[in-house]
Amino acid sequence: MRGEHPKITASNSSLRSAAEEQSMAVAEASRESEWKSKSFIAALFMGEWDIDLAFPFPLQNPEDKAIGDAICRDVDAWARKNIDGAEIDRVGKIPEHVYAGLQKLGLFAIKIPKQYGGLGLSQTNYMRILAVIGKYCTSTAVLLSAHQSIGVPQPLKLFGTEAQKQKYLPRIARGEITAFALTEKEVGSDPANVQTYAELAQDGRHWILNGEKLWCTNGVIADLYVVMARTPDRVENGKTVNQVTAFIVEGQWEGVEVLHRCEFMGLKGIENGLIRFTNVKVPVENVVGDVGRGLKLALATLNDGRLSIPALSAAATEELAAFCNLWGKSRVQWGRPVGQHEPGMQKLAYMNGVAYAMDALASYTAQLSDAGGVDIRMEAAAAKLWSTEEFWKALDMGIQLRGGRGYETDRSLLQRGEASLPLERWMRDTRVNRILEGSTEIMHLFLAREALDPHFKNAGPLILGGTTAAKRQAFLRCAAFYPVWYLKLWFGALFSFFRPYPKFEPELARHLRWLDRHSKKLARTLFHQMMKYRAKMEYKQLLLGRVVDIGIELAVMGLVASRIQGEISEGREQNLSRARYWLKSRRLVVKQLFHAIHHNDDQLCKDLATGLLRDSPGLPTPARLTLQPLPRIFGKDLTQTV
């Protein structure tokens, strides 16, 4: 028996179900409505090619780099002796001596300020350290990243009171491990469905927390959690508004239980699980930020939190490319090295080109983060989306180039005396990167919403509907803005042919002029599609994905041009061929994406999928299992092992 279709109701001139309306309201209320600074990528979607936001290419300052160099050397030397990624993958556990060693090096407190007992390092050095650890074991890098990028330290740094920082940051610096608890069985990317609930106790001194959280990385051993929970709704302008609040919860409190340790395709060593909270008494002073601002906190935390994955991806891609260069020269088939056959050449060119581009994007976003006061929401999301997608392509190419050896485990290769790189383990470990911390699909929608923000602010009531007064005001704003802006897109594209770029080499200046013209073409295209579909634009997700991909490609090309110009100016040209290849090859990608906006199979996909879902009975309702709590071991017990 098929379930009922949700009732479609008109709201703001769009067709949404009540559930969709609620989810969209929560998402809108959670986003950062104001921009702290001008964004390179955001400006690009409006046709403003402002390369000055990325040139000169921002570099880590020498003093901070020297600090990072020293600690990375120490971490690398320790990891080489103590972290066996293949064994962790085989056994499915990170050994206690690794936890203890990480703690001794201070790596559970990399970004915690020194006044609270941490190392007080920059975002850039944090990312460099994660890359060093990731070279030996991805599970161990994820342990550190989940603990510090989205666990308790980062929300406390951004939103915590001084009392909260004084209470918890020193404990974390001493080795307590933290986790971020948002996802539930029915809640992935849609936080409006959060069922975990907290209600203020009658004494007014505690919140009573009940619910379950799934896929909580570090949750099995966490001493501390950041838990996102529904709190009583509030009424705003006559409408009921869902509220989600962030709480600090201690793992040893009564009612906190681990029900299951999850097992995955890869990342075998992570302590990820299903956590249950039953009548947990949370002191009112453990609310992080304000009541009802939990999702704003989560999104702000993820701006920096998402930067870990691009850093790890960039480092791994560089290592992959270097190894494949060796293999491409050493492996001979049909009388010549595989790297000299055109298919091999193509793979080597792509892997080396994307490694340079990916590192440029990761380094740029890290420097933006360290600058402070810079709005990096679009840059962070773009880095996460693009790096994970491109790393997956590069890894697949590396495995293909290696042939059977790419499919064989590194342990097996070593046992029979061959050089190895753990490509098959990397593939299992990193497949999840396109899913966690905002899936590729969600990142497309997130970036599309931010790209459309100027248009919504100017023309929102005309596009989505609104009161007569709101429409009148929007009409006046549009009359003042769009005629001039639209003409600038056309005339600006024409004038871009003559824009000099005197600080760039002639070859690079030609690419920048091309990028300028195509940023304006992108802005026109987005505007045309918005006017064509209006309120239905939110359902054109494949179209929006292509628009976002074009914007990211243009931005990365600009960063590559900026970075290589800086190197040339310093007399370093060893990366010029990589940059030259990348800038030329991605022109073709951008052209294909523009072509696909008007020539695609989107409607055929929708028609086919609609029919398939109509005829599908859907999965049966799973049986409700009664899970018994697992014996607990806490992070501090592992990190303080002698």
Side-chain angles (χ1 to χ4, degrees), residues 66-101:
I67 293 171
D69 289 345
I71 192 167
C72 284
R73 281 194 299 270
D74 292 342
V75 171
D76 187 74
W78 172 83
R80 190 180 303 112
K81 295 179 180 179
N82 290 278
I83 299 180
D84 184 341
E87 182 66 9
I88 290 172
D89 181 68
R90 186 185 70 81
V91 174
K93 285 280 188 180
I94 297 172
E96 291 186 5
H97 77 269
V98 172
Y99 285 98

Side-chain angles (χ1 to χ4, degrees), residues 43 100 234 265 447:
R234 72 175 190 274
M265 173 194 301
L447 286 162

Side-chain angles (χ1 to χ4, degrees), residues 86 323 327 402-425:
F323 184 86
W327 174 252
R402 285 276 282 161
R405 290 169 177 82
Y407 193 67
E408 189 174 359
T409 68
D410 62 320
R411 180 185 291 269
S412 177
L413 287 164
L414 289 171
Q415 287 174 342
R416 58 187 191 80
E418 292 215 27
S420 71
L421 195 67
L423 301 187
E424 65 83 28
R425 172 154 48 92

Side-chain angles (χ1 to χ4, degrees), residues 323-504:
F323 184 86
C324 285
N325 293 344
L326 299 173
W327 174 252
K329 185 174 182 178
S330 302
R331 176 65 169 173
V332 176
Q333 293 287 277
W334 300 99
R336 66 171 58 188
V338 294
Q340 290 183 10
H341 293 283
E342 281 197 348
M345 290 177 177
Q346 183 184 49
K347 292 177 177 62
L348 291 176
Y350 173 79
M351 284 185 281
N352 283 271
V354 77
Y356 185 77
M358 201 180 296
D359 189 62
L361 180 57
S363 298
Y364 177 71
T365 54
Q367 288 302 300
L368 290 183
S369 176
D370 283 334
V374 179
D375 201 313
I376 65 169
R377 72 182 87 168
M378 290 191 76
E379 283 74 11
K384 192 275 175 186
L385 187 163
W386 190 83
S387 296
T388 55
E389 290 295 320
E390 295 302 321
F391 176 71
W392 187 252
K393 295 176 189 174
L395 184 55
D396 183 65
M397 283 190 184
I399 289 175
Q400 189 70 20
L401 185 69
R402 285 276 282 161
R405 290 169 177 82
Y407 193 67
E408 189 174 359
T409 68
D410 62 320
R411 180 185 291 269
S412 177
L413 287 164
L414 289 171
Q415 287 174 342
R416 58 187 191 80
E418 292 215 27
S420 71
L421 195 67
L423 301 187
E424 65 83 28
R425 172 154 48 92
W426 281 5
M427 181 160 273
R428 289 186 289 106
D429 283 348
T430 61
R431 179 59 184 86
V432 74
N433 288 349
R434 297 167 64 203
I435 300 171
L436 53 72
E437 292 185 14
S439 69
T440 292
E441 293 76 14
I442 291 299
M443 289 294 92
H444 274 135
L445 296 180
F446 174 86
L447 286 162
R449 171 61 185 88
E450 299 301 337
L452 286 165
D453 190 49
H455 296 299
F456 286 164
K457 286 180 176 177
N458 280 313
L462 297 176
I463 299 170
L464 304 174
T467 64
T468 301
K471 288 182 178 180
R472 185 182 301 115
Q473 291 175 349
F475 177 80
L476 293 174
R477 287 194 301 269
C478 292
F481 174 75
Y482 281 111
V484 175
W485 173 77
Y486 192 71
L487 285 174
K488 282 183 176 179
L489 293 181
W490 285 104
F491 285 107
L494 179 63
F495 294 149
S496 70
F497 281 98
F498 308 101
R499 192 171 175 181
Y501 295 105
K503 296 180 180 180
F504 285 83

Side-chain angles (χ1 to χ4, degrees), residues 512-569:
L512 292 177
R513 286 190 283 270
W514 186 91
L515 290 167
D516 190 353
R517 292 194 299 277
H518 282 77
S519 70
K520 290 169 173 56
K521 181 179 180 180
L522 173 62
R524 296 195 306 268
T525 300
L526 180 58
F527 179 69
H528 294 161
Q529 297 303 311
M530 180 184 72
M531 297 307 295
K532 177 180 179 180
Y533 293 110
R534 296 179 180 268
K536 295 181 181 178
M537 188 74 163
E538 69 181 80
Y539 297 106
K540 298 296 180 179
Q541 294 166 6
L542 297 176
L543 165 65
L544 290 171
R546 294 183 190 104
V547 169
V548 166
D549 286 342
I550 292 170
I552 297 174
E553 291 292 345
L554 297 177
V556 174
M557 290 172 71
L559 294 176
V560 167
S562 174
R563 185 183 187 184
I564 194 62
Q565 180 59 58
E567 293 177 8
I568 292 172
S569 299

Side-chain angles (χ1 to χ4, degrees), residues 271-290:
E271 299 292 343
N272 181 296
L274 174 63
I275 315 300
R276 181 167 64 195
F277 305 96
T278 307
N279 294 326
V280 179
K281 295 176 67 176
V282 184
V284 292
E285 57 267 25
N286 276 38
V287 171
V288 186
D290 297 325

